[in-house]
Amino acid sequence: NDAYAQTGDWVVLPLQSITAATLTPQRRTFYFDLPDEPRVAIKVRRTSEQSDDQYIYDEVVWAGMHGHLSNVAPLAPTVTHLEVRIRANEQLSGTSQRKIGVVWQRRLRTWSPDGGFTDPVPTRNPMWALLDKWTDCVYGDRLPLDRIDLNSLYAIAQTCEERRDRLDIIFDTRVSSFEADATIGRVCRSSPMRRNGLRSVMRDERQDLPIAAFTPRNVLEGTSSYQYMQVTDETADGVIVEYFDHNFFDWLEIECPQPGKTVMNPADPRYNPALPMMENPVRLQIAGITGPVHAEREGLYQAAANALRRKYCRWQCELEGSLVYFG
């Protein structure tokens, strides 16, 4: 029962005999069918006396007991289950389960203004991963569709397809919801945001049309200022991107100098002797990037942003400030 007390009589199972003439340990597995599916207690007794002869090895060790139910096990429909059979030998241990790996591919819904949602399809696009994270009712934010800016997601998803920006990541540690959004968007220079009650996303790219204009008519007098971040000897002149390579299944790094600099390794095919070598790079680990071309592209972007975006402006205004957001 629930207190682990025996409620029935013992039942004797058929006698099993083991005979062998070898120094190699022998393993045996015996199967017994029970008439129903009870909660059982098992005890094993040896029926022969153990020999005291030094040339005879007849020690018996009971390794374990497993129960196999005849009915189908209840499996979670939102989880992929793997069943593995391993032959028992002297090298089998508890660490073996951590040495099993799979090459997997996620299947998510995609969306378009004309066709709406599709069935789950294989995709590595970061925007559809972000949409799945926002809408999923098991592990996501459980947001209704009327609170998501689908058009912005679709536009950036098309850009990701053109540039082959991919997201290959597993969230196996607990992080905040907003931190997970930022991690997904970082691989394609995008920043998820909350705007007017909607979840939206904005990509850092050139904009042809201005969003808003601020002139002396709507800037409060005496509140505007400009600040220039001067370049010093300690200013980073490049980025070393660390990424998990999909071919070597290990963390690799790639040098990304700022404009006007070259890589530090002369053996690198990208080395340019006509340019000064970067001397003070900063390390940046980007989760979700698994290709060297993608990692180099984002590293050069970060290095150029650090070198060229060194002017900061600040001002105060009235209600016009509520219209402004990132991008």
Side-chain angles (χ1 to χ4, degrees):
N1 55 22
D2 292 339
Y4 298 98
Q6 181 178 338
T7 59
D9 297 331
W10 289 102
V11 177
V12 179
L13 298 176
L15 183 67
Q16 303 297 322
S17 176
I18 302 176
T19 303
T22 176
L23 295 179
T24 303
Q26 301 296 304
R27 291 181 173 88
R28 296 289 188 271
T29 301
F30 304 103
Y31 297 90
F32 303 97
D33 292 330
L34 301 181
D36 51 9
E37 298 176 356
R39 299 175 62 181
V40 298
I42 303 291
K43 59 182 179 179
V44 177
R45 184 193 313 169
R46 177 177 178 148
T47 58
S48 63
E49 295 293 336
Q50 186 173 358
S51 174
D52 56 1
D53 192 330
Q54 61 176 338
Y55 299 105
I56 296 179
Y57 301 92
D58 60 347
E59 180 181 0
V60 178
V61 177
W62 181 25
M65 176 187 66
H66 298 276
H68 300 269
L69 299 179
S70 58
N71 58 322
V72 179
L75 303 180
T78 58
V79 178
T80 299
H81 296 266
L82 301 177
E83 182 177 347
V84 181
R85 298 188 62 180
I86 305 178
R87 182 180 298 276
N89 55 33
E90 63 277 3
Q91 298 179 353
L92 184 63
S93 63
T95 60
S96 301
Q97 60 182 344
R98 294 193 296 268
K99 296 182 179 180
I100 299 176
V102 297
V103 178
W104 57 274
Q105 186 178 38
R106 64 173 176 260
R107 299 172 66 88
L108 303 175
R109 296 187 305 169
T110 65
W111 182 87
S112 63
D114 299 329
F117 281 97
T118 65
D119 293 331
V121 296
T123 176
R124 299 166 62 192
N125 195 302
M127 289 299 100
W128 303 136
L130 186 61
L131 176 62
D132 179 71
K133 186 262 180 186
W134 283 345
T135 58
D136 191 88
C137 295
V138 177
Y139 52 79
D141 297 332
R142 307 178 184 181
L143 294 177
L145 295 179
D146 56 2
R147 291 186 55 190
I148 297 176
D149 185 4
L150 294 173
N151 290 300
S152 297
L153 285 172
Y154 175 77
I156 300 179
Q158 298 303 110
T159 302
C160 292
E161 291 296 336
E162 296 174 1
R163 295 169 51 87
R164 299 184 64 84
D165 289 342
R166 301 293 185 245
L167 173 73
D168 301 314
I169 192 174
I170 298 177
F171 288 99
D172 52 3
T173 57
R174 183 179 295 273
V175 297
S176 65
S177 177
F178 187 77
E179 184 179 353
D181 293 346
T183 300
I184 296 174
R186 190 175 297 118
V187 301
C188 59
R189 309 179 192 178
S190 300
S191 297
M193 67 185 71
R194 296 174 174 87
R195 184 181 65 188
N196 299 330
L198 295 179
R199 293 288 183 92
S200 184
V201 61
M202 175 64 68
R203 188 174 185 275
D204 187 9
E205 59 186 359
R206 180 182 178 88
Q207 301 290 340
D208 296 329
L209 296 177
I211 301 299
F214 290 88
T215 66
R217 296 192 60 180
N218 53 7
V219 174
L220 298 182
E221 185 178 359
T223 63
S224 60
S225 63
Y226 294 90
Q227 181 181 6
Y228 296 88
M229 300 295 295
Q230 301 297 330
V231 177
T232 64
D233 295 337
E234 299 179 355
T235 303
D237 57 357
V239 175
I240 297 180
V241 176
E242 299 176 357
Y243 70 99
F244 193 83
D245 193 88
H246 64 87
N247 290 320
F248 296 94
F249 290 94
D250 196 5
W251 287 95
L252 301 182
E253 59 184 39
I254 186 169
E255 299 177 2
C256 303
Q258 72 179 30
K261 298 273 187 173
T262 187
V263 296
M264 297 184 294
N265 184 11
D268 194 316
R270 300 172 300 157
Y271 178 76
N272 187 356
L275 298 177
M277 184 182 303
M278 67 174 181
E279 300 176 352
N280 188 30
V282 61
R283 288 188 172 271
L284 177 64
Q285 187 178 98
I286 306 180
I289 293 181
T290 58
V293 176
H294 189 185
E296 181 186 19
R297 184 167 63 232
E298 297 308 310
L300 292 174
Y301 156 75
Q302 294 289 346
N306 182 55
L308 302 177
R309 290 177 169 174
R310 309 196 67 81
K311 178 181 178 182
Y312 299 88
C313 53
R314 180 187 299 271
W315 69 89
Q316 295 181 14
C317 60
E318 296 183 348
L319 289 179
E320 292 89 342
S322 63
L323 304 177
V324 181
Y325 53 90
F326 176 77

